Amino acid sequence: MAQKLNTKKPDYSQYVKKFWKYFFLIFGGVLLFFLFASWGLFGSMPSFSELENPESNLATEIISSDGVTIGKFFNENRTPIKYDDLPKHLVKALVATEDERFYEHSGIDGRRTMSAALKLGTDGGASTLTQQLAKLLFHGERSKIKLVGLVQKVKEWIIAIRLERQYTKDEIIAMYLNKADFINTAVGIRSASKVYFAKEPKDLTVDEAAMLVGMLKNPSLFNPLKREEKVKDRRNVVLKQMEKNGFLTTSEKEKYQEKPIKLTFTPEKYNEGTATYFREYLRDYMKKWALENKKEDGSDYNIYSDGLKIYTTIDSKMQLYAEEAVKDHLKNLQQEFFLEAAQNKLAPFIRVTQPEIDKIMERSMKTTERWRIMSDQGKDEDEIKKSFYIKTKMTVFTWNGDKDTTMTPYDSIRYYKHFLQPGMMSMEPQTGKVKVWVGGIDYRYFQYDHVGLGARQVGSTFKPFVYATAIEQLGMSPCDTIIDGPFMIHKGRHNVTEDWEPRNSDGKYRGMVTLKKALANSINTVSAKLIDKTGPDPVISLMRKLGVDSDIPSQPSIALGAVDITVKDMVAAYSTFANQGIYLKPQVITRIEDKNGNVIYEPKMESRDVLSKDIAYAVIKLLEGVTESGSGSRLRTQGGGAGDKRWTGYPYMFENPIAGKTGTTQNQSDGWFVGMVPNLVTGVWVGNEDRSAHFRTITNGQGATMALPIWGLFMKKCYADPDLHVSKEKFDRPENLSIKVDCATERRVIRDTSAIDSTAVKPEEEQNTDEFGI
């Protein structure tokens, strides 16, 4: 009898129940894990407002009037750029290399995530561009602790999904490239383009864009300054990915892969580049501005991280021309200074005693970083001083480039005191806009700003203010005459404590002269006679109206320029004459924008009426005489004289109207020239850091030799650039001019601009030979 087969089916229900039980437990656990992470139980998550405005560390840009970024203030050198300003091949390279399905997913690439999970991460990560952005924005590098890293990964997923809801794909790409760190002072694609290739992102070639995208995997590993071959291999991988995704043809890929890595490395440093002294002046300006101007929520602006855009009045081309003019002239003139110094045992000091030199040097030592550091370390003065006499390796400034040498810190201080320093500023007289600011020769070595900070004795450049006061107070004109002869102001008059008898620099007297001739030849006795008539207080009052707040003693000696004034204030004061008697406070900023492009500040113009149009024009005509037949005539002549080799660029051969004045102080410590054309006023000062260091002779030490050539070289460059529209026209003559300015014509034979002889000829009209003409 056959046995019955057991046809009863196995019961899997318990296994099914267990599967679903564990499935839902795991699924629920994962879901709760995600929910808890999104609620911030594993650490804070960005709020809606933070996603809307993610915290950034953006550099503040300093932008010239012609749209050039001339510098930045930054913790991270990062300047944002809009998607529309990115080249298409850069975007394609990024997507092809970092996230091929970027336009298909919503923040998480499921296929890549599953593949990475199955391979346990051995074949690379699965982060999308959006996840990488989330990491960059909200927590940086992932923790190496596995559990913490897993939590961070989950948070990245959640943030990535939220970012995809909040922003467009284009915005995400722009944000990612703006945030990425390319090392070597470059953070963000715009900085990277400028640092590595000296160009804007829109101008990047395909191979350059591929190199930058290749760096994103590991910037330190693929550092083009250190590992050129690795960088080239990585760039070629990016190009291959572009071919794979249909963004390049095979022939295009091969063409770009054959190209070498060619950098134009230009790291951005605060103390290098153009307009360094102006940028430091602006930094101080902005610190004060931030104290007075708050954000809408009452918090403070941070000029290093808030991504402000400061639109300045500086013209980048004029600034470059000014810096070139300073270098061209001073590099040349400095050779003459060293030649003189070689004959002087006390060089660079002249006519001072050794104890006086010791005081100067000790004062300078105490201002050095070496002294500060050693003092902070608790070292006593004797120990610190001894360290200044120990030879050490150092890099020093020379006009032929930085030089590595060995010398004592004491000798390095004395070496630097040999160098002639400039202060130069240009300003539009009708707007108050500062176009040029050169405060020194190299900010890395000489930090003192000789435009905004360095008040120095102005010499004969002060005389026009005395003449302006005389014209206003005494009703005089440039054609009125006065006797150039011995003159004394006795003790007790105008606060004089001893009899004061000014003498002319050449020791000569010219007899009867017009005011125009007197100023052209910078005759001291005439200036003294004028201030004796007006008194010093009206002159001081005029200077206050012209924005000069320096200490000006109520003494008649101020007529000869015994007053310390900054280049900035002198240019603004002279600009009043070119602006028909209206003073404008110098402006360096046109507006400030926040990182979103909203205007948060626009300065108000500060102006006041100081002189009538007629008086201002009369002074202009006086100053034109200086460049026609006086100390500034070398701007026009064909001849020269002793020292031409050092008067760089001489002759200049300008034919257009120029109003200006040279100035030379006692012992040739300071050389000045302020020159004006109708729409640009430029002041130049040249001298050594210490007043006891200077040229021995007037030939090299006068303003016409030290400062005027810089003005001439600068203006030649400006006139050669038609885009600048620097005027060659006449100054505007007021209608119904009430002051006589057209004086008798004199023919002059110019032999040497440092000693001008004159021969009077038959005048076109009869001159008034009465002193003062009144």
Side-chain angles (χ1 to χ4, degrees):
M1 183 175 173
Q3 282 187 320
K4 289 185 177 180
L5 293 173
N6 187 3
T7 58
K8 188 178 179 181
K9 294 181 179 180
D11 184 5
Y12 294 110
S13 60
Q14 59 179 328
Y15 298 110
V16 172
K17 287 179 182 178
K18 284 183 179 181
F19 170 79
W20 287 111
K21 177 182 176 181
Y22 288 120
F23 175 82
F24 283 115
L25 281 173
I26 293 171
F27 179 79
V30 171
L31 183 62
L32 283 174
F33 188 77
F34 272 80
L35 285 173
F36 290 160
S38 66
W39 294 339
L41 295 182
F42 300 139
S44 61
M45 292 286 286
S47 65
F48 176 83
S49 62
E50 288 173 320
L51 286 172
E52 186 81 14
N53 297 287
E55 184 180 347
S56 58
N57 193 7
L58 299 176
T60 287
E61 281 190 275
I62 306 166
I63 303 170
S64 68
S65 61
D66 51 334
V68 176
T69 298
I70 58 175
K72 297 177 183 178
F73 302 136
F74 58 85
N75 296 320
E76 290 181 356
N77 181 19
R78 181 157 54 88
T79 306
I81 189 171
K82 295 179 180 178
Y83 178 85
D84 291 341
D85 295 322
L86 297 171
K88 298 304 179 197
H89 52 262
L90 173 65
V91 175
K92 289 175 180 177
L94 177 67
V95 171
T97 308
E98 295 294 324
D99 192 351
E100 291 175 302
R101 284 179 292 279
F102 174 69
Y103 293 104
E104 299 169 18
H105 63 67
S106 298
I108 301 174
D109 188 338
R111 193 189 309 177
R112 288 180 66 194
T113 301
M114 186 62 68
S115 175
L118 291 174
K119 296 178 181 179
L120 300 177
T122 58
D123 194 27
S127 291
T128 64
L129 278 174
T130 318
Q131 287 174 254
Q132 292 180 49
L133 175 61
K135 181 173 69 173
L136 288 173
L137 287 175
F138 297 108
H139 70 72
E141 287 301 314
R142 197 173 297 131
S143 173
K144 293 182 180 179
I145 302 173
K146 290 187 177 180
L147 183 58
V148 177
L150 177 62
V151 171
Q152 290 176 332
K153 186 70 175 178
V154 170
K155 290 169 71 175
E156 284 173 23
W157 286 343
I158 297 167
I159 296 170
I161 293 170
R162 291 180 179 178
L163 286 172
E164 289 275 352
R165 293 174 181 172
Q166 194 73 32
Y167 297 100
T168 66
K169 292 287 187 179
D170 291 352
E171 289 172 331
I172 288 170
I173 283 178
M175 290 172 69
Y176 175 76
L177 287 173
N178 282 328
K179 185 68 178 174
D181 188 353
F182 293 86
I183 67 174
N184 296 316
T185 77
V187 182
I189 190 63
R190 189 168 183 224
S191 290
S193 298
K194 289 193 169 186
V195 167
Y196 292 112
F197 300 110
K199 59 177 67 173
E200 290 287 344
K202 63 183 176 62
D203 299 318
L204 289 170
T205 61
V206 172
D207 56 303
E208 290 169 345
M211 189 207 86
L212 293 177
V213 168
M215 289 180 66
L216 293 170
K217 184 176 183 180
N218 187 333
S220 296
L221 178 62
F222 300 108
N223 183 344
L225 301 183
K226 295 182 179 179
R227 300 180 177 89
E228 185 176 329
E229 283 304 313
K230 272 186 174 294
V231 171
K232 185 177 179 181
D233 291 343
R234 177 61 184 164
R235 179 204 66 182
N236 290 349
V237 169
V238 174
L239 292 169
K240 186 176 180 181
Q241 283 296 110
M242 293 180 74
E243 178 203 23
K244 174 187 170 185
N245 285 271
F247 299 142
L248 290 177
T249 65
T250 301
S251 61
E252 287 174 332
K253 177 203 72 174
E254 291 173 351
K255 179 184 73 173
Y256 290 124
Q257 284 183 335
E258 290 174 1
K259 288 192 172 186
I261 297 293
K262 189 175 181 180
L263 303 177
T264 306
F265 185 59
T266 50
E268 297 193 46
K269 298 180 180 179
Y270 78 95
N271 62 355
E272 294 181 1
T274 189
T276 47
Y277 291 89
F278 171 73
R279 280 151 43 194
E280 286 307 303
Y281 170 82
L282 189 63
R283 187 195 302 272
D284 187 58
Y285 179 103
M286 287 302 298
K287 287 178 181 178
K288 295 173 184 175
W289 175 88
L291 293 175
E292 300 169 0
N293 298 268
K294 306 292 183 181
K295 297 181 182 178
E296 289 184 357
D297 61 4
S299 61
D300 293 334
Y301 282 104
N302 187 323
I303 66 171
Y304 302 102
S305 61
D306 279 344
L308 304 178
K309 283 185 169 56
I310 307 171
Y311 290 88
T312 72
T313 61
I314 296 293
D315 185 287
S316 69
K317 294 172 91 175
M318 281 190 180
Q319 180 71 28
L320 178 63
Y321 297 153
E323 291 176 4
E324 288 175 346
V326 165
K327 180 179 179 180
D328 290 347
H329 178 57
L330 291 189
K331 181 179 181 179
N332 198 6
L333 192 62
Q334 188 66 51
Q335 296 177 44
E336 191 68 29
F337 192 92
F338 279 125
L339 288 174
E340 279 197 14
Q343 310 301 317
N344 175 16
K345 292 182 179 180
L346 298 178
F349 309 107
I350 294 178
R351 289 187 282 275
V352 292
T353 63
Q354 187 59 51
E356 289 172 323
I357 293 175
D358 292 340
K359 286 182 181 179
I360 293 170
M361 292 299 296
E362 182 171 331
R363 189 166 58 244
S364 296
M365 285 190 287
K366 288 182 177 180
T367 63
T368 63
E369 189 70 3
R370 170 183 290 271
W371 190 286
R372 185 192 67 78
I373 292 172
M374 294 186 72
S375 180
D376 289 344
Q377 293 173 345
K379 310 287 186 184
D380 60 42
E381 281 202 9
D382 288 340
E383 187 177 359
I384 296 173
K385 286 179 182 178
K386 286 179 182 178
S387 74
F388 278 85
Y389 296 91
I390 300 172
K391 285 190 175 184
T392 183
K393 291 182 179 180
M394 63 179 69
T395 302
V396 297
F397 171 84
T398 79
W399 273 116
N400 294 317
D402 294 351
K403 179 182 178 182
D404 293 329
T405 187
T406 300
M407 66 171 71
T408 69
Y410 178 92
D411 287 339
S412 72
I413 293 173
R414 195 150 180 167
Y415 166 72
Y416 283 134
K417 287 188 181 296
H418 283 74
F419 281 92
L420 295 163
Q421 296 291 335
M424 178 179 182
M425 188 181 108
S426 294
M427 173 176 149
E428 290 179 347
Q430 292 79 24
T431 66
K433 293 179 179 178
V434 175
K435 311 308 289 183
V436 161
W437 187 299
V438 184
I441 54 178
D442 191 321
Y443 190 81
R444 295 173 304 156
Y445 294 96
F446 308 96
Q447 277 84 45
Y448 194 74
D449 177 15
H450 292 285
V451 172
L453 297 177
R456 294 289 289 249
Q457 201 169 100
V458 295
S460 294
T461 52
F462 192 84
K463 291 176 180 176
F465 306 117
V466 177
Y467 281 66
T469 305
I471 293 172
E472 182 178 49
Q473 298 282 325
L474 307 175
M476 299 183 70
S477 83
C479 302
D480 286 334
T481 53
I482 188 170
I483 295 175
D484 170 24
F487 176 71
M488 179 180 289
I489 296 179
H490 294 284
K491 178 180 177 180
R493 182 171 172 80
H494 301 313
N495 307 312
V496 171
T497 56
E498 299 291 340
D499 288 349
W500 181 58
E501 185 178 9
R503 299 182 185 277
N504 295 326
S505 59
D506 60 2
K508 299 176 182 178
Y509 298 105
R510 294 164 180 79
M512 192 71 69
V513 294
T514 63
L515 290 192
K516 188 172 183 178
K517 181 177 179 180
L519 187 61
N521 289 276
S522 206
I523 299 174
N524 289 339
T525 60
V526 172
S527 296
K529 284 186 175 184
L530 293 178
I531 203 167
D532 182 49
K533 292 286 185 181
T534 66
D537 289 341
V539 178
I540 295 171
S541 177
L542 173 63
M543 298 311 295
R544 297 292 178 242
K545 293 175 185 176
L546 293 173
V548 176
D549 56 9
S550 304
D551 180 33
I552 304 177
S554 182
Q555 295 280 339
S557 59
I558 65 174
L560 307 187
V563 181
D564 287 358
I565 303 177
T566 64
V567 171
K568 177 170 170 278
D569 285 349
M570 283 296 282
V571 171
Y574 266 74
S575 293
T576 305
F577 301 133
N579 193 33
Q580 299 186 322
I582 300 172
Y583 168 82
L584 293 178
K585 185 177 181 180
Q587 295 284 350
V588 297
I589 292 175
T590 55
R591 71 183 187 278
I592 300 174
E593 294 179 357
D594 64 17
K595 65 181 180 181
N596 298 315
N598 301 311
V599 177
I600 56 176
Y601 176 72
E602 287 183 290
K604 295 179 180 178
M605 182 184 292
E606 294 184 37
S607 66
R608 53 180 168 268
D609 291 339
V610 177
L611 298 167
S612 71
K613 291 181 181 180
D614 289 5
I615 294 172
Y617 185 72
V619 176
I620 288 291
K621 298 306 288 184
L622 284 169
L623 292 170
E624 284 184 349
V626 174
T627 66
E628 291 166 357
S629 60
S631 56
S633 62
R634 66 179 66 187
L635 290 170
R636 304 188 182 283
T637 58
Q638 296 185 39
D644 276 4
K645 184 179 178 183
R646 301 302 182 205
W647 298 340
T648 316
Y650 174 78
Y652 308 96
M653 293 299 295
F654 294 119
E655 297 179 355
N656 55 290
I658 297 170
K661 186 70 188 80
T662 57
T664 308
T665 61
Q666 191 175 19
N667 295 330
Q668 300 82 241
S669 295
D670 306 271
W672 287 80
F673 183 72
V674 184
M676 300 187 284
V677 295
N679 65 350
L680 192 67
V681 177
T682 302
V684 183
W685 166 87
V686 173
N688 292 75
E689 176 187 310
D690 286 281
R691 299 182 197 219
S692 53
H694 52 79
F695 277 111
R696 186 180 297 277
T697 66
I698 192 73
T699 299
N700 291 315
Q702 63 180 304
T705 302
M706 290 209 292
L708 180 144
I710 293 175
W711 190 93
L713 288 169
F714 168 66
M715 291 298 288
K716 283 176 73 172
K717 292 173 184 287
C718 288
Y719 281 138
D721 189 337
D723 293 337
L724 296 180
H725 305 292
V726 177
S727 176
K728 289 187 177 181
E729 304 301 315
K730 295 179 179 179
F731 289 86
D732 288 340
R733 184 185 181 108
E735 294 183 8
N736 304 315
L737 181 64
S738 62
I739 301 174
K740 184 179 180 182
V741 297
D742 299 316
C743 310
T745 301
E746 294 178 343
R747 183 169 66 241
R748 315 183 68 75
V749 179
I750 299 173
R751 298 172 181 169
D752 183 343
T753 52
S754 64
I756 303 172
D757 297 331
S758 62
T759 305
V761 298
K762 183 178 179 181
E764 294 179 356
E765 61 182 26
E766 186 177 349
Q767 281 192 313
N768 183 349
T769 57
D770 295 329
E771 185 167 1
F772 288 103
I774 53 175

